[in-house]
Amino acid sequence: MVSVHRPTRGHRVFQGVNGVILTLVVLVTLYPFVNIVARSFSGERQIRAGEVTLWPKGFNLTTYEIVVSDPMFWRNYGNTVFYTVVSTAVAMVLTTCYAYVLSKRNLKGRGALVGIAVFTMFFTGGLIPHYVLITSLGLKNSVWAIALPNAISVFNLLVMKAFFESLPSELEEAAQIDGLSAYGVLLRIVLPLSKAVVATMVLFYSVSFWNSWFSAFLYMDRTELMPVTVYLRNLLAGATGGTGAGAATEQLTQVSANIQAVTIVLTSLPILCLYPFVQRYFVSGVMLGAVKG
């Protein structure tokens, strides 16, 4: 006969309180985003009067129509996709190789390599030396001006390093006995066991490169090479600083009222669509990378 364990009264109270607290946290977290979406579809008068909360008022698509009807928007959107894919691929290759090397405790000079990586977290060369370096290397107006300077995030590097260190060393030793090289061990043994942390790092890097605008703003001279974040930034600057007359003024006023909300929605939408596919790896990837053996 199987005995059924009944939760105690204290446990039930804890579950109830915990559920209420987590529900409040979810509501507080969702409210700003829902409000932003509502503002993006609302009219100028209702936005300025502070009447928009969770539902659009004075439904208006003026800003969306202006943005999506511009061919340059779609050109810049394609640039953002291209820059994000290439930059994330480069970052993942370099970060994975560097983290795998640092995970070897018997590596000579390991402490120096870790120190070099950590040093860059606190000290940088500065904006002007970076610009001079990128220009002298001939990387301006190319994807490499975005991908290479930001190729390795030290935080992501240390998380992957800790994850690789948590893997049993016996697996790699067995693979080496079977004749696999160091690259073979990494590609055929380590990476298949590291799907969680790899998916997490892909999410971190892709979000970072997708939202990045300053590097492109600094190193891109031609409008057709800009990412969509710079396009929307310029639209925001034009809407808030421009002047006009008649109908053009009314349209510009509407754009300036909700351009920030439209910008946030348009730039966040692809990441929100990507997140559900990697969410199941996200928590486990970060937690496993934080386990110390």
Side-chain angles (χ1 to χ4, degrees):
M1 183 175 180
V2 180
S3 61
V4 179
H5 175 71
R6 294 184 179 181
T8 63
R9 181 179 179 182
H11 182 68
R12 291 195 300 269
V13 171
F14 170 78
Q15 285 185 318
V17 173
N18 196 36
V20 171
I21 293 176
L22 291 179
T23 301
L24 292 176
V25 170
V26 170
L27 293 176
V28 171
T29 304
L30 287 179
Y31 174 78
F33 183 76
V34 176
N35 178 256
I36 286 293
V37 174
R39 286 169 59 91
S40 71
F41 290 103
S42 298
E44 178 265 337
R45 184 184 63 81
Q46 289 79 4
I47 294 175
R48 297 190 183 279
E51 300 175 0
V52 182
T53 53
L54 299 177
W55 193 256
K57 293 188 178 180
F59 191 80
N60 196 298
L61 295 175
T62 300
T63 306
Y64 280 107
E65 291 172 354
I66 291 175
V67 172
V68 300
S69 63
D70 187 358
M72 187 56 68
F73 168 77
W74 296 109
R75 175 70 177 271
N76 292 158
Y77 218 103
N79 291 340
T80 297
V81 174
F82 175 70
Y83 295 157
T84 301
V85 171
V86 173
S87 300
T88 301
V90 171
M92 286 302 302
V93 170
L94 295 180
T95 303
T96 301
C97 293
Y98 198 178
Y100 183 64
V101 168
L102 294 182
S103 67
K104 302 305 174 186
R105 302 182 187 276
N106 58 349
L107 176 69
K108 293 183 179 180
R110 177 174 178 264
L113 293 175
V114 174
I116 292 172
V118 174
F119 180 84
T120 62
M121 294 181 68
F122 305 101
F123 301 96
T124 62
L127 181 60
I128 294 177
H130 279 173
Y131 183 83
V132 172
L133 177 63
I134 295 298
T135 303
S136 61
L137 292 176
L139 300 179
K140 286 188 65 177
N141 295 314
S142 72
V143 63
W144 308 116
I146 299 174
L148 295 182
N150 305 298
I152 296 181
S153 166
V154 180
F155 172 80
N156 295 345
L157 174 69
L158 297 179
V159 170
M160 291 197 75
K161 167 183 168 294
F163 182 90
F164 290 152
E165 288 176 341
S166 68
L167 296 177
S169 59
E170 292 79 9
L171 291 176
E172 298 185 33
E173 293 172 359
Q176 292 172 352
I177 292 175
D178 289 339
L180 284 181
S181 64
Y183 290 106
V185 172
L186 175 62
L187 296 175
R188 301 180 62 178
I189 303 297
V190 175
L191 290 183
L193 296 174
S194 308
K195 292 179 181 178
V197 74
V198 169
T200 302
M201 295 303 106
V202 168
L203 179 63
F204 282 171
Y205 275 122
S206 60
V207 170
S208 175
F209 287 118
W210 183 272
N211 291 331
S212 175
W213 68 273
F214 188 70
S215 295
F217 182 75
L218 193 63
Y219 302 126
M220 302 292 184
D221 295 334
R222 299 199 296 270
T223 305
E224 64 271 15
L225 296 177
M226 299 291 186
V228 71
T229 48
V230 176
Y231 172 91
L232 295 173
R233 179 262 175 197
N234 294 337
L235 182 62
L236 174 61
T240 56
T243 57
T249 300
E250 295 179 3
Q251 187 180 64
L252 195 61
T253 302
Q254 171 61 40
V255 172
S256 64
N258 65 351
I259 181 60
Q260 289 180 327
V262 171
T263 299
I264 293 174
V265 172
L266 291 176
T267 55
S268 301
L269 187 61
I271 298 300
L272 292 176
C273 294
L274 173 66
Y275 182 76
F277 296 98
V278 297
Q279 187 271 340
R280 64 193 181 104
Y281 298 108
F282 183 77
V283 175
S284 59
V286 174
M287 294 301 293
L288 285 173
V291 172
K292 302 295 185 293

